[in-house]
Amino acid sequence: MQAFQPVLPAARKAMQETGRLTVVALGSSTTAGSGASAEDRSYPFVLQTELRRRLPGAEVRVLNKGVGGQSAYDMLLRMDTDVIEEKPSIVIWQTVVNDAIRDIGTEKLTKILRKGIAKARAAGIDMILMDLPWLPREERYPQLDDYRAVLTKTAEQQGAALFPRYAMMKGWSRSKQFTEEELVGMDGLHLVDAGYRCLASRIADGIVAAVGDIRIRAVSKKAETVD
């Protein structure tokens, strides 16, 4: 399974200098928590819990800015208010699925993604783009592959981290770690509780690997100063 090893310089710096980590989860229904049995089973809520557990002593907030049904352009329009004004170190942008289903055009999508990444970078925010999901009945959405390719290529060209959701979910399916019903809900599109929990855990793995050691050193240095 593809490893998630993001480079997060803004988050590392924030942890080193302040001991704080703020993450904005920007997205559509997956971020909002469609398919989850309760609000605290959504991936942003579980991610906050995981990060707080793994980064003891740090001040961690994960803000859920998911709005079901939104396109990449819809999210770009609210990036100033919902992301930049919150002054996070990291934004996780979950998008493209609705654009692919509506088939807005790959060139148009590329421009939107580039603008969003540029906005975050100009504000000193680390961008993590979330790959599209693997779906048990992919044949229903034949255009998804083309849009996934745009997302992957844009992330690579713009130097944004890409969370490998597609590879992760496909790996789960092949390993029989989950039944189809545990992986994707009745609508055939959205994760359910078990999937959201594992999704959040994998994102936390990458973030903690990128920033956790900085926090440990900062705490140790402070303790030495007190002594």
Side-chain angles (χ1 to χ4, degrees), residues 58-202:
E59 184 181 319
V60 177
R61 292 190 309 149
V62 178
L63 307 177
N64 190 336
K65 301 290 185 176
V67 179
Q70 284 207 329
S71 67
Y73 184 69
D74 293 330
M75 296 178 218
L76 179 65
L77 291 179
R78 61 187 177 93
M79 194 168 283
D80 284 331
T81 55
D82 280 5
V83 179
I84 294 171
E85 287 185 10
E86 298 288 356
K87 296 181 168 52
S89 302
I90 301 170
V91 57
I92 303 170
W93 194 5
Q94 171 265 311
T95 189
V96 178
V97 173
N98 291 318
D99 302 276
I101 291 172
R102 296 165 190 162
D103 198 12
I104 68 163
T106 54
E107 287 187 15
K108 182 178 180 180
L109 177 64
T110 299
K111 291 177 182 177
I112 294 167
L113 293 176
R114 285 178 176 169
K115 286 180 180 178
I117 293 168
K119 267 184 173 289
R121 180 172 291 127
I125 301 167
D126 294 325
M127 168 72 76
I128 297 173
L129 287 167
M130 187 182 291
D131 198 1
L132 271 64
W134 173 82
L135 300 174
R137 290 173 288 280
E138 288 184 297
E139 67 277 3
R140 293 182 180 179
Y141 309 101
Q143 67 273 38
L144 283 183
D145 281 346
D146 290 339
Y147 284 82
R148 276 194 67 237
V150 168
L151 179 64
T152 301
K153 184 177 180 180
T154 304
E156 183 179 348
Q157 290 179 338
Q158 301 298 311
L162 181 68
F163 177 70
R165 175 167 52 149
Y166 181 91
M168 179 186 72
M169 291 180 66
K170 195 168 186 178
W172 290 345
S173 175
R174 286 177 173 173
S175 70
K176 308 299 182 183
Q177 182 179 350
F178 297 100
T179 65
E180 185 174 307
E181 291 74 23
E182 288 174 324
L183 193 60
V184 178
M186 294 294 289
D187 63 1
L189 277 172
H190 295 105
L191 290 170
V192 290
D193 291 355
Y196 280 130
R197 185 172 62 251
C198 288
L199 180 75
S201 183
R202 284 290 306 280

Side-chain angles (χ1 to χ4, degrees), residues 15-16 56 212-227:
M15 286 288 286
Q16 185 178 41
D213 60 329
I214 290 291
R215 179 62 186 161
I216 291 167
R217 284 202 294 270
V219 170
S220 299
K221 189 173 181 181
K222 187 181 290 186
E224 289 170 7
T225 304
V226 172
D227 290 345

